[in-house]
């Protein structure tokens, strides 16, 4: 770095001595337009049901979710990602409830669209909220079936789009699903529907609290017939080149936007994906990242508001165009303050 001078003619601290100059020279910043609010909905009458591992991010009733969508619109949050807590009685091995046109996701999407037409609605395409075994796909003799699952995911996506979803976000990690969903959307005349592919999604410990939130806690039994992890379809955390191959496939198959997940431990992947594809690129600050911050804050070990803005800005610095986060409403408040 020849262009860097020498002390004392160059003193980097000059650029930090007051807030105004720090603001003036800041390279990356966070705006409310960078936020996608991750929100869990439930089917009952209670406006909010707390989730022990996710304090401050309760499950919302459909009515409360519609109110929240109005708030998002007011706060300038462009989009909400909806995740359902499905009544255990409605779950089965095939996740059939995922195809219910009057199921929880479709009703929530309709109510939220009605309440806040200018907020984009993103829905997860995957079967795990709906299967009794908690896997994202169909399970036979210990294997998650790929092509059979894709056939169901196509139907799930169409049902959600019919209800008003703007972005379908396949989070299942089956091979070929983006292309199959894109072809089905084109055939159905849904040419404006966006696909945000969970292209680089890792098998991660950081999804733990989410499984509490949506009630898919007991993943398999760990037996050969019913695996206790998702490692045969989600990526290995030691890999980076594989993330680029996953993204390349999804781009070729018709993805409009790419998502990296989890977030903070995978900022290197965010940067590589952004540099390689130059597409709108997002990161998911997942439930475990949320819970870690909340737990440290509850112990008095960290300042919550500062941790929120610092982590979300770190995603922007790494190249993310936006962040899916449970902190979205608080972050939007802090930004506008
Ligand atoms: C499931 C799905 C998961 C998340 C979003 N969609 C969990 C998983 O893959 O096991 C995680 C979200 C979070 O942890 O906040 N397809």
């Amino acid at each position: 770095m020849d262009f860097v001078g020498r002390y004392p003619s160059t003193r980097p601290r000059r650029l930090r001595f007051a807030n105004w100059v720090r603001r003036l020279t800041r390279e990356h910043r966070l705006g409310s337009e960078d936020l996608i609010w991750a929100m869990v909905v439930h089917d009952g009458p209670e406006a909010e049901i707390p989730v022990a591992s996710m304090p401050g991010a309760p499950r919302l009733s459909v009515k409360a979710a519609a109110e929240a969508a109005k708030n998002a619109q007011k706060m300038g949050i462009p989009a909400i990602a909806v995740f359902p807590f499905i009544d255990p009685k409605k779950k089965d091995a095939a996740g059939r409830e995922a195809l219910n046109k009057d199921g929880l996701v479709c009703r929530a999407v309709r109510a939220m669209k009605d309440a806040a037409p200018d907020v984009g609605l993103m829905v997860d395409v995957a079967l795990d909220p709906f299967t009794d075994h908690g896997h994202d796909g169909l399970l036979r003799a210990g294997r998650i079936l790929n092509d059979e699952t894709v056939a169901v995911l196509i139907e799930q996506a169409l049902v959600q789009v019919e209800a008003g979803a703007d972005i379908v976000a396949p989070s299942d990690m089956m091979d070929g699903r983006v292309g199959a969903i894109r072809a089905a959307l084109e055939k159905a005349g849904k040419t404006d529907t966006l696909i945000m592919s969970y292209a680089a999604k890792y098998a991660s410990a950081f999804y733990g609290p989410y499984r509490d939130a949506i009630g898919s806690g007991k993943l398999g039994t760990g037996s050969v017939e019913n695996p206790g992890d998702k490692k045969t379809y989600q990526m290995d955390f030691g890999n980076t080149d594989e993330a680029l191959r996953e993204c390349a496939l999804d781009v070729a198959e018709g993805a409009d936007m790419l998502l990296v997940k989890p977030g903070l431990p995978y900022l290197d992947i965010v940067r590589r994906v952004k540099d390689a594809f130059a597409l709108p690129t997002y990161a998911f600050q997942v439930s475990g990242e949320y819970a870690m911050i909340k737990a440290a804050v509850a112990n008095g070990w960290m300042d919550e508001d500062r941790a929120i803005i610092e982590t979300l800005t770190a995603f922007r610095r790494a190249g993310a165009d936006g962040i899916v986060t449970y902190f979205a409403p608080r972050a939007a408040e802090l930004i506008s303050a």
Side-chain angles (χ1 to χ4, degrees), residues 129-321:
F130 309 95
T131 54
D132 52 16
H133 45 72
H135 281 290
D136 293 28
L138 304 174
L139 180 66
R140 190 184 304 146
R143 288 184 60 80
I144 307 300
L145 305 177
N146 194 88
D147 299 6
E148 293 84 343
T149 298
V150 171
V152 182
L153 297 177
I154 294 170
E155 297 307 316
Q156 180 187 24
L158 288 173
V159 163
Q160 292 169 331
V161 170
E162 203 48 60
D166 302 292
I167 308 176
V168 290
S171 71
D172 54 285
M173 290 298 279
M174 297 301 115
D175 295 332
R177 87 281 203 217
V178 170
I181 291 169
R182 175 57 77 209
L185 289 172
E186 286 292 319
K187 197 164 158 222
K190 302 289 184 187
T191 52
D192 287 340
T193 302
L194 292 156
I195 298 181
M196 183 187 298
S197 168
Y198 284 69
K201 174 167 175 179
Y202 289 83
S204 172
F206 288 87
Y207 309 146
Y210 173 85
R211 290 180 188 158
D212 292 343
I214 70 154
S216 69
K218 53 163 189 42
L219 180 66
T221 54
S223 67
V224 177
E225 294 74 33
N226 196 349
D229 63 52
K230 300 188 176 183
K231 291 179 182 173
T232 69
Y233 45 109
Q234 298 177 350
M235 287 174 44
D236 188 286
F237 55 72
N239 295 346
T240 67
D241 290 342
E242 186 186 9
L244 297 192
R245 295 197 296 273
E246 282 282 2
C247 290
L249 282 165
D250 290 359
V251 173
E253 289 176 29
D256 305 286
M257 305 148 118
L258 297 170
L259 181 73
V260 174
K261 180 180 173 196
L264 220 52
Y266 295 83
L267 292 184
D268 57 326
I269 309 297
V270 173
R271 170 52 65 195
R272 281 197 81 184
V273 166
K274 182 64 183 175
D275 287 348
F277 298 97
L279 271 184
T281 302
Y282 299 82
F284 198 143
Q285 183 175 47
V286 298
S287 57
E289 299 172 62
Y290 176 87
M292 280 202 305
I293 292 174
K294 281 288 186 178
V297 168
N299 277 293
W301 295 338
M302 216 153 68
D303 181 81
E304 176 166 4
D305 292 345
R306 288 177 58 197
I308 291 173
I309 297 301
E310 182 178 336
T311 53
L312 293 174
T313 306
F315 289 108
R316 301 278 294 133
R317 195 186 64 231
D321 294 288

